[in-house]
Amino acid sequence: MILAGCHSQPALTPQQAEGKHLYDVGCAHCHEENDLRLKTVPPNLHGLFDHKTMPDGAPATDAEVERVILHGKGLMPSFAYQISQSQLEALIAYLHTGLAGENNQ
Ligand code: HEC
């Protein structure tokens, strides 16, 4: 399978690539850059599913991550009204790559 993305990045499936786009547009400004300078610094989501629990101690499962995205959490807004089910699945698929292609912090 040939999926030429940007050079030196691992190839993503079309679904993961869609998820990366959504992440870059909707999540990265907080989770990579904290551009709003939130007091609760948005946790680093790289390798989210490599551990049994997320940074806050909740289980690192698809269901839990979906819940956070749909309902928000603390200073994180809910995305329920802006995201379709297939976009949600794409985002989760991308998070499962450990965030391939993002700047490693
Ligand atoms: C306005 C800034 C902001 C945006 C945009 C944002 N987040 Fe968050 N996110 C946060 C903050 C702050 C927390 C920590 C919440 C807390 O623990 O109180 C968080 C927590 C999380 C967690 C839970 C981590 C844990 O340990 O429980 C996940 C998963 C997550 N965000 C994913 C996403 C995804 C995916 C997107 C894009 C759809 C996104 N976030 C967009 C600020 C943001």
Side-chain angles (χ1 to χ4, degrees), residues 20-86:
K20 173 169 170 31
H21 174 72
L22 294 167
Y23 179 86
D24 287 345
V25 171
C27 322
H29 73 94
C30 279
H31 280 276
E32 303 283 324
E33 287 150 30
N34 192 17
D35 65 348
L36 303 175
R37 304 195 185 282
L38 298 176
K39 268 205 208 143
T40 310
V41 176
N44 186 334
L45 300 180
H46 291 253
L48 184 66
F49 289 106
D50 294 348
H51 307 282
K52 280 209 174 74
T53 54
M54 296 200 282
D56 79 338
T61 59
D62 289 8
E64 184 61 24
V65 173
E66 283 185 17
R67 200 180 58 74
V68 172
I69 295 171
L70 290 179
H71 299 284
K73 183 166 191 228
L75 295 176
M76 177 170 156
S78 158
F79 283 81
Y81 301 104
Q82 329 178 16
I83 195 170
S84 69
Q85 181 62 31
S86 75

Side-chain angles (χ1 to χ4, degrees), residues 5-21:
C6 294
H7 41 269
S8 85
Q9 292 181 1
L12 298 176
T13 67
Q15 187 192 35
Q16 289 165 346
E18 186 196 350
K20 173 169 170 31
H21 174 72

